[in-house]
Amino acid sequence: MFENLSDRFNAAFRNLSGRGRISEDNVQEAMREVRTALLEADVHLDVVKDFCDQVVKEAMGAEVTQSLKPGQEMIGIVHQKLIELMGPVEPGVMFVDPGPTIIMMCGLQGSGKTTTCGKIAAYLKTRGKNVMVVAADLQRPAAVEQLKVVTEQVEAEARGNATVSFYGEPDKCAEYGQAVGVAVGVCQRALKEARANKTDVLILDTAGRLHINDDLMKELEGINRSIKPQQIYLVVDSMIGQDAVNSAKAFNERLEIDGVILTKFDSDTRGGAALSVKQVTGAPIKFIGTGERFEALEEFHPERMAGRILGMGDVVSLVEKAQEEVSEEEAEAMAAKMAEGKLTMDDFLKQLKSIRRMGPMKQLLGMLPGVGSALKNVEVDDKQLDRLEGIVHSMTKPEREDVKLLTRSRVKRVAKGSGSQPADVNKLTKQFDMMSKMTQQMSSMGPGGKMKAIRELQRTDPNLVPGLKGMPGIGSARGSTKTKSIKSSFKKRKKGK
Amino acid sequence: MGIFTKTVSAIRKGLARTREALFGGLSALLSGKTLSNDLIDEIEEYLIKADVGVKATNAIIDELRQAFESGEVQKGEDAIEFLKNHLKSRFKQMDRSIAKSSTPGMPTVILVAGINGAGKTTSVAKIAKSLRDEGRTVLLAAADTFRAGAVAQLEIWAQRLGVDLVKGEQGSDPAAVAYDATEAALARGVDVLLIDTAGRLHTQKNLMEQLTKIRRVVTKKIPDAPHEVLLVLDATNGQVAITYAQEFRQAIDVTGIFLAKLDGTAKGGIVLAIQDALDIPVKLVGVGETPEDVEPFDPESFIDAMFEG
C-alpha cells in the first residue's frame, strides 16, 4: 500500500548514504525528493512543508552516531517524525458502563460508511459485544436495504457468540433533501430499543453529506445533541486529495470527532491521507479498512504504519492476525504433533485455511520487512493455494493420515479428482514429507537452529511456498517478476537434474 | 454527432466554490500587485493545494516564471490573463460529446465503471434523466450484483425516472446481466442502454478481468458496442486518480470520464492533472445530488467560470 512512497524515500536516502556526513546541502537535496514524493502521494502541502522542515532541523542538530551511515540516520529521523505525525492514538473502541456505548459514523458521500459499519459490528462481535446497527441514512436510495443486508451477513458469518441486530425504518426514506432531520427521530427510537434489549454498542450509520450542506450538517448536530454519542467517527476515503482533507477539518469543527476511519486502504499505493489526517483535523486515525470483506478492518498503530511506509514491514500486525485465527491451545496442539512428527494432511489443510482467512497472500507478505516493494510488480496467485486444497480434498481419510499410502494408481486418482497432474500431487506429498521431517527436527532446536533449518529447507526447495516463485529474497529466481505455475517449475527442476 | 445535447449552462453553479476558493483566492492574491518570485511561489502553492498535481503545476509555473523573467508578464492582472490562456491551451481539442451508435435502429450502449463510492449509480441516474428528457427511450442494466442494496438503489432511480430496468440476483454473474440487458435493448428497440457496474479497486485483478468480460459480452451482441465507456471519477480524489484511470483504461478501453462530486469538496484541479497525464477526455461533470445536476464538460467555459469573480 505504500510501495511507491517507501521506494522513493529509500532512493532519496540511498544517495545520501554514499557521502560521509550529513550536511545542509545533501539533506536539502534528499528532502526535495521526499517533498515531491509526499505531494505525489497526496499528502497535504502544509503537512509536507512542516514535516520536511522538522526533519531537516532534526538532521542538522543530530550527531551522526559513528556506527550509522548518514542515510540510516536520516531514515531513523524520518521514522520518528512519521510516528509523531500520525500519533498518538488509543486504538480500539472505548466502552461506557452502563451501556449502550453509542458510536456515530459520518462522512462525505461514497467514503464507505455503510461498509465500515458492518466491519465495526463484526469487530465488536468477535470481542463479545452485542451490537445494534441503525440505518440513519434516509437520503440515498436503498441505503437502508444495504445496511440491513450487511448486518445480516455479519450476524450470520462473523465469529463470536454475541448478536448483531439491525434497526431501520425504511418507510421514512424520501427523495434527496426531503427527509432532512427525520434521522434524529429514527436514532431516538433505536436508542430506546437498544436500551430495552441491553445492547452493548449502538452504531448509527448516517447519510453521506458535504460539510458545506448546512441543513444536513445541522441534522448531524441534532443527532449529536439528542442521542449524545460517546464516539463520533469520521469515515474518510484514503484516496482523497489536497482539498478534500479540509472537509474533514470542517466535520471536526462542528462535531468534535473522536477518530477517523480510513477506508479503501488496500487500493492505495501511496496513502497520503494517512499522513495528513491527524495534523489537518486534530483527530487520530482509529481504524483502517483494507478490503471489501467485513473482516478487513485493522486497528491503526502509528509506529507500525511508519514502519510500513519506510518498507520496514509490520511483523507485529502479522502476528496479531495469526493470533486471531489460531488460538493458543490449537497452536500448542499443533506444536506437539509437529514434535512427534505426526503432522497429517488434514493439519496442513487447516493451517492453509487459517492463513487464507488472514487475507490475500500479497497483503500478508507485504507486512514482512523489505518484501513490500519487492512484491510491487509480482502477481501473487492465491489460486495456486486453491489447487493445493483441491488436491488434499481429493484424498481419502486414510491417505490424509499417511501420505505413504499413495501408490501410483492412487496418485492418478487424486490428480484426476482435483483436476491436476500426478506430478503436482507427488510434489505436494514430497514437500509435505520434507516439511514434517523438518518441523520435527526444529521442535528440538533453539531459535538459531530453527532459522538455519528454514534456510536449509528453502535451499532444497525454493518452491515450498507456492505462488511465490520469482520473489526476490524468497524464491531462487532473484529479480524475476513472473510467477510460474507449480507445473512449469517442476518441469524445469527435472530438466536441471 | 453526440447524443448528449444539453447546453452548457449551470456549470458555473457547481464551480462557484472552485472559483471562490482557488481562483478567487488567486485573483485576490494577484490583483493590484507586481509579480515577483515570491508571489509565483504562492501561486505554485495554490495550484498544488487545488489538486493540480506536482507535474502539471511545475509545467505551469515554469512557463509563468519564464514569462516573468522575460518581462512579458509584470502585473498581477497580466498573470491572471496569462494563466487563463495557458490553462486553456493545455486542453487538447478532443471530442467531448457522448458517442452514438452509427447503425440506424441499433441502441447506443453506454458502459459505466469506477472505483467504490465514486458515484456510479447516481451518475447513471443523471445520464438517464438527461436522455429521457431529450425524448430518448432508456433502458438501465443493474450489473452491480455485488454490493448489498445496489440493485435496489438503481431500481428506485428507475421508478423515479420512469425508465425500464434489467436486473440480476445479488451475487449472480454481472456479465450475464449485461448480456440479458443487451438482448432486451435490441428486442425492445430502445435508443440507449446504460449499464451500471459494481465498484472495484484497480488493484483487484480478478474484478478488473470481470469488467473486461462485461465489455466483451456486449460487443458479442452488438459489434460496435459499447459506444461509450465512461469512467466515473471522484473529483475529491487526489493524484491517485491518475493511477486508477490508467488501470481502467487498460481493462475496458475507457472513452470518457464522468467527473463526479465536483460540487463542494473539490477545487477541480484534478481535471488539469488528468488532462496532463491521460488522453481521456472529461465528458460530463456531476455537480450535485439531484438527477438534474449534470453538465457536459467544456474546457473553455470551465476555465472562464473559474476566473469569473
Side-chain angles (χ1 to χ4, degrees):
Chain A
M1 56 190 76
F2 281 118
E3 288 87 0
N4 229 316
L5 208 51
S6 59
D7 277 0
R8 301 276 299 260
F9 272 30
N10 287 325
F13 296 131
R14 204 178 303 128
N15 293 335
L16 201 64
S17 60
R19 324 244 172 110
R21 307 184 39 203
I22 293 185
S23 74
E24 174 111 31
D25 278 354
N26 57 30
V27 165
Q28 291 289 8
E29 196 186 306
M31 288 316 282
R32 252 196 302 280
E33 270 295 300
V34 169
R35 180 178 180 270
T36 310
L38 288 172
L39 285 176
E40 282 178 358
D42 294 317
V43 182
H44 194 263
L45 178 65
D46 294 341
V47 178
V48 174
K49 275 167 58 181
D50 257 28
F51 177 79
C52 290
D53 285 353
Q54 279 190 37
V55 170
V56 170
K57 214 170 118 197
E58 195 103 342
M60 296 308 10
E63 283 185 35
V64 181
T65 325
Q66 286 282 315
S67 58
L68 287 177
K69 288 187 184 130
Q72 288 172 322
E73 183 81 27
M74 279 299 285
I75 286 185
I77 294 169
V78 169
H79 188 229
Q80 192 51 43
K81 287 287 154 204
L82 285 173
I83 294 172
E84 284 169 25
L85 193 60
M86 294 183 284
V89 54
E90 197 72 51
V93 177
M94 249 79 84
F95 302 104
V96 294
D97 190 37
T101 303
I102 306 166
I103 300 175
M104 180 163 91
M105 310 282 265
C106 56
L108 299 172
Q109 291 95 337
S111 53
K113 285 174 296 304
T114 306
T115 306
T116 306
C117 280
K119 290 181 181 184
I120 296 276
Y123 170 89
L124 293 169
K125 188 183 178 209
T126 52
R127 281 157 183 77
K129 301 286 179 191
N130 293 317
V131 183
M132 182 187 273
V133 187
V134 186
D137 178 358
L138 307 171
Q139 311 286 329
R140 182 163 58 94
V144 177
E145 171 71 19
Q146 182 186 353
L147 188 65
K148 185 163 176 269
V149 175
V150 167
T151 312
E152 283 165 359
Q153 198 193 355
V154 171
E155 167 65 8
E157 293 169 29
R159 285 177 300 129
N161 297 322
T163 60
V164 175
S165 57
F166 169 80
Y167 184 91
E169 300 177 16
D171 54 313
K172 297 285 195 305
C173 298
E175 278 198 44
Y176 181 78
Q178 307 290 305
V180 177
V182 182
V184 181
V186 173
C187 291
Q188 280 167 340
R189 288 185 286 278
L191 177 59
K192 214 169 143 193
E193 195 168 311
R195 284 207 176 109
N197 295 347
K198 302 231 178 298
T199 300
D200 297 315
V201 184
L202 187 69
I203 304 175
L204 313 175
D205 180 24
T206 65
R209 66 201 76 212
L210 292 172
H211 58 290
I212 50 163
N213 184 328
D214 204 46
D215 289 345
L216 282 173
M217 288 306 279
K218 277 195 178 125
E219 179 189 81
L220 277 186
E221 287 172 324
I223 297 174
N224 192 16
R225 257 196 313 275
S226 72
I227 312 286
K228 298 196 176 55
Q230 283 84 18
Q231 300 190 39
I232 303 177
Y233 290 153
L234 180 68
V235 181
V236 176
D237 184 336
S238 59
M239 287 183 273
I240 56 168
Q242 297 273 334
D243 191 45
V245 173
N246 292 323
S247 70
K249 196 165 143 190
F251 270 96
N252 190 37
E253 276 159 9
R254 292 187 82 148
L255 294 161
E256 283 187 49
I257 56 175
D258 297 278
V260 170
I261 302 179
L262 268 190
T263 59
K264 307 179 206 172
F265 216 69
D266 49 329
S267 67
D268 187 5
T269 48
R270 307 151 186 239
L275 294 177
S276 307
V277 127
K278 172 79 196 292
Q279 192 155 338
V280 175
T281 65
I285 300 168
K286 283 274 193 182
F287 294 98
I288 48 177
T290 54
E292 298 207 48
R293 296 165 306 118
F294 59 72
E295 306 96 330
L297 185 79
E298 290 178 23
E299 288 177 359
F300 184 79
H301 298 274
E303 62 290 350
R304 299 183 194 175
M305 199 50 68
R308 284 196 208 173
I309 291 172
L310 292 173
M312 298 168 174
D314 182 2
V315 179
V316 186
S317 294
L318 188 61
V319 171
E320 276 181 2
K321 268 182 189 259
Q323 279 168 343
E324 265 177 46
E325 280 309 323
V326 185
S327 70
E328 212 164 309
E329 296 88 67
E330 274 177 316
E332 270 171 25
M334 193 71 92
K337 270 190 166 176
M338 279 182 187
E340 292 168 35
K342 280 186 183 161
L343 218 55
T344 68
M345 270 292 176
D346 273 324
D347 298 325
F348 173 70
L349 200 63
K350 222 158 118 190
Q351 282 183 323
L352 200 60
K353 281 190 171 148
S354 344
I355 292 176
R356 302 203 62 191
R357 270 201 305 270
M358 284 161 62
M361 283 303 277
K362 191 164 178 173
Q363 213 177 44
L364 297 179
L365 290 163
M367 293 172 140
L368 293 170
V371 176
S373 62
L375 272 180
K376 196 167 51 184
N377 299 313
V378 182
E379 284 302 333
V380 180
D381 190 1
D382 282 273
K383 280 212 180 96
Q384 295 209 15
L385 298 177
D386 284 340
R387 294 176 59 188
L388 289 188
E389 279 185 25
I391 292 175
V392 180
H393 280 305
S394 299
M395 295 179 186
T396 63
K397 196 94 185 130
E399 284 165 358
R400 288 189 217 177
E401 299 281 333
D402 183 7
V403 289
K404 290 195 186 66
L405 288 177
L406 287 166
T407 57
R408 185 178 289 225
S409 71
R410 284 187 184 224
V411 166
K412 238 185 191 164
R413 191 203 77 239
V414 171
K416 211 170 171 187
S418 57
S420 55
Q421 298 298 317
D424 298 333
V425 181
N426 282 330
K427 186 156 173 287
L428 174 66
T429 55
K430 212 173 131 199
Q431 284 177 351
F432 174 77
D433 218 35
M434 218 151 51
M435 195 174 76
S436 47
K437 270 189 204 136
M438 212 58 88
T439 48
Q440 192 185 357
Q441 277 175 22
M442 269 161 65
S443 314
S444 52
M445 282 178 202
K450 277 181 191 165
M451 278 319 288
K452 208 176 143 207
I454 289 172
R455 274 199 298 275
E456 193 70 23
L457 189 63
Q458 252 170 24
R459 208 167 39 235
T460 47
D461 194 349
N463 301 317
L464 197 65
V465 185
L468 264 189
K469 230 198 139 208
M471 203 189 67
I474 288 193
S476 58
R478 181 173 285 268
S480 159
T481 52
K482 234 174 101 190
T483 40
K484 292 160 196 150
S485 69
I486 296 179
K487 215 171 125 190
S488 69
S489 59
F490 180 76
K491 271 186 196 150
K492 205 176 138 209
R493 281 195 320 130
K494 220 164 130 190
K495 249 186 256 163
K497 269 180 190 170
Chain B
M1 185 54 213
I3 192 166
F4 209 82
T5 51
K6 194 172 174 180
T7 49
V8 184
S9 60
I11 198 161
R12 286 190 192 112
K13 183 182 120 200
L15 287 175
R17 203 171 147 280
T18 302
R19 193 164 61 237
E20 189 184 301
L22 171 61
F23 292 92
L26 261 191
S27 299
L29 186 75
L30 293 170
S31 296
K33 292 214 185 111
T34 315
L35 209 57
S36 66
N37 276 319
D38 285 351
L39 202 53
I40 293 177
D41 287 347
E42 282 185 60
I43 299 171
E44 185 180 358
E45 284 196 10
Y46 259 104
L47 295 176
I48 296 266
K49 282 187 181 171
D51 293 309
V52 173
V54 179
K55 245 193 195 144
T57 301
N58 282 348
I60 296 165
I61 291 297
D62 283 352
E63 297 239 355
L64 180 63
R65 223 181 274 277
Q66 262 178 30
F68 168 64
E69 277 159 11
S70 71
E72 188 194 325
V73 178
Q74 303 261 327
K75 281 185 292 191
E77 279 77 11
D78 299 341
I80 294 175
E81 207 50 41
F82 179 88
L83 284 171
K84 205 164 153 179
N85 289 329
H86 180 79
L87 291 178
K88 279 186 190 172
S89 72
R90 292 190 84 79
F91 284 95
K92 273 175 258 174
Q93 282 296 331
M94 287 175 136
D95 184 7
R96 293 176 194 277
S97 59
I98 300 291
K100 192 184 172 191
S101 168
S102 51
T103 321
M106 290 294 255
T108 298
V109 182
I110 303 175
L111 179 64
V112 180
I115 58 166
N116 313 62
K120 284 171 300 301
T121 306
T122 309
S123 299
V124 165
K126 287 176 178 180
I127 300 171
K129 183 181 184 297
S130 297
L131 294 171
R132 187 206 65 184
D133 289 353
E134 285 167 15
R136 296 172 203 277
T137 49
V138 179
L139 179 66
L140 298 179
D144 180 354
T145 53
F146 180 78
R147 180 170 64 87
V151 173
Q153 187 180 348
L154 196 62
E155 216 168 0
I156 293 171
W157 278 121
Q159 271 167 20
R160 284 184 193 167
L161 299 172
V163 297
D164 284 348
L165 175 88
V166 175
K167 60 177 178 177
E169 288 285 305
Q170 201 187 335
S172 65
D173 181 4
V177 180
Y179 187 86
D180 288 349
T182 313
E183 268 194 334
L186 285 168
R188 297 180 203 179
V190 298
D191 296 327
V192 185
L193 169 65
L194 264 167
I195 305 172
D196 183 25
T197 61
R200 63 203 75 218
L201 297 175
H202 53 289
T203 46
Q204 294 159 328
K205 198 162 172 274
N206 53 337
L207 290 182
M208 293 305 278
E209 277 165 8
Q210 182 191 67
L211 209 50
T212 312
K213 184 180 167 192
I214 293 174
R215 192 196 153 95
R216 209 167 46 229
V217 300
V218 172
T219 311
K220 212 168 179 180
K221 272 269 142 206
I222 306 174
D224 61 340
H227 306 88
E228 192 71 65
V229 181
L230 289 179
L231 173 67
V232 178
L233 202 139
D234 185 337
T236 65
N237 279 175
Q239 306 304 308
V240 66
I242 293 166
T243 314
Y244 67 70
Q246 271 161 345
E247 295 288 332
F248 274 91
R249 176 163 64 179
Q250 220 168 46
I252 46 167
D253 209 356
V254 175
T255 56
I257 288 170
F258 187 118
L259 194 65
K261 308 190 208 174
L262 196 58
D263 53 326
T265 48
K267 282 180 181 163
I270 193 70
V271 175
L272 291 164
I274 290 166
Q275 175 65 40
D276 250 42
L278 304 169
D279 258 344
I280 311 172
V282 175
K283 292 194 168 177
L284 298 168
V285 292
V287 289
E289 280 273 351
T290 60
E292 298 83 53
D293 298 325
V294 57
E295 294 292 335
F297 179 75
D298 171 54
E300 291 265 325
S301 38
F302 178 80
I303 288 165
D304 281 339
M306 280 175 151
F307 277 90
E308 277 163 30

